[in-house]
């Protein structure tokens, strides 16, 4: 069985071809993984950041969170799935140790968390790029409680989460502002951005020029501390962030995505009826996943970087 692993505290991610095939427990399914994607947390795990936060690493650690594939085995206590079912989800980064991941050919997971039926009419390659970013975007827009005519600033709109959150915000009727490069203009407008602000400009001043009263909501997916764009906010504006930039207080939400069946089913419905699309900039083969990790941090991306496993 092939997998992308880190084998110790100072080792780089690499392809291994000798990990043991996982054995599912009575309440678990064995899934043959077809597709995955790259998320910032994958780089955090590879860099050992979770260990510095107190999470134990159980080596070898298999990287990758997202997965889409086909059930290969459903054990005795499993009632919802059977062999041949198309499924998708994402694996928790620590459960309770950092050990299991999705950049491999076979994974096990219980039927009560981290799994749901893959969206109807959506290929597994697309489904494999959706779960973590999709649920994060969904929960972020929920937290902002957007209504028709609200003005929302989305910082990090070209990334995996941002490119999905923009679509959901626009569908909620919001007027979406987003910083971007000149090369991002067409991409962002196609997603639903109303105004593309020069990313290298003073974003607060640019927002206030067009919206003197400030914005109703902010989704910050770039900064790790709050306050960067507070001067662009109306009094009582809602703020959400999955990176620590929301701060504390009324209307401020730190978003933590959870792969519950309910969240995955809701995301699947958005994908199945076309209300949400997953923009994939590039697809890497499993052996190329370390290069995909590097690309996520060193290159300007538009949407998701996908991983093809089978």
């Amino acid at each position: 069985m092939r997998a992308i692993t880190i084998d110790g505290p100072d080792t780089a991610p690499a392809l291994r071809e000798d990990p043991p095939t996982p054995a599912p427990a009575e309440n678990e399914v064995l899934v043959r993984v077809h597709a995955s994607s790259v998320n910032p947390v994958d780089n955090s795990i590879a860099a050992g950041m979770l260990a510095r936060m107190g999470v134990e690493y159980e080596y070898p650690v298999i990287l990758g969170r997202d997965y889409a594939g086909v059930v290969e085995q459903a054990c005795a206590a499993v009632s919802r799935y059977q062999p041949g079912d198309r499924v998708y989800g994402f694996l928790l980064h620590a459960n309770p140790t950092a050990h299991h991941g999705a950049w491999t050919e076979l994974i096990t997971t219980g039927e009560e968390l981290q799994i749901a039926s893959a969206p109807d009419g959506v290929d597994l390659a697309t489904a494999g790029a959706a779960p973590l970013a999709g649920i994060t975007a969904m929960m972020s827009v929920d937290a902002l409680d957007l209504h028709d005519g609200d003005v929302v600033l989305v910082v990090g709109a070209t990334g995996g989460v941002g490119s999905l959150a923009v679509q959901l915000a626009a569908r909620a009727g919001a007027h979406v502002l987003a910083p971007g490069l000149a090369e991002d203009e067409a991409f962002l407008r196609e997603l639903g951005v109303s105004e593309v602000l020069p990313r290298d400009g003073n974003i607060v001043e640019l927002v206030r020029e067009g919206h003197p009263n400030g914005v109703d909501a902010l989704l910050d997916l770039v900064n790790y501390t709050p306050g960067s764009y507070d001067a662009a906010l109306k009094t009582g504006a809602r703020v959400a962030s999955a990176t620590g930039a929301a701060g504390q207080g009324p209307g401020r939400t730190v978003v933590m995505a959870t792969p519950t069946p309910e969240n995955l089913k809701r995301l699947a419905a958005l994908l199945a009826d076309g209300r949400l699309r997953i923009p994939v900039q590039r697809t890497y083969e499993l052996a190329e996943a370390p290069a995909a990790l590097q690309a996520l941090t060193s290159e300007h991306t538009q949407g998701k970087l996908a991983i093809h496993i089978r």
Side-chain angles (χ1 to χ4, degrees), residues 77-104:
V78 174
S79 60
R80 298 178 188 173
Y81 303 101
Q82 58 186 5
D85 287 348
R86 299 167 73 252
V87 293
Y88 86 136
F90 74 83
L91 304 181
L92 296 172
H93 59 275
N95 193 27
T97 63
H99 179 59
H100 297 291
W103 289 354
T104 184

Side-chain angles (χ1 to χ4, degrees), residues 136-159:
T136 304
M138 207 169 60
M139 294 178 66
S140 298
V141 174
D142 286 350
L144 295 177
D145 190 26
L146 297 173
H147 299 283
D148 192 40
D150 280 347
V151 180
V152 58
L153 173 64
V154 179
V155 182
T158 60

Side-chain angles (χ1 to χ4, degrees), residues 99-116:
H99 179 59
H100 297 291
W103 289 354
T104 184
E105 293 175 315
L106 292 164
I107 62 169
T108 61
T109 186
E111 67 173 343
E112 300 299 328
L113 187 67
Q114 309 179 138
I115 188 171

Side-chain angles (χ1 to χ4, degrees), residues 241-258:
S241 176
T243 57
Q248 298 180 341
R252 292 177 176 262
T253 305
V254 177
V255 178
M256 296 288 288
T258 53

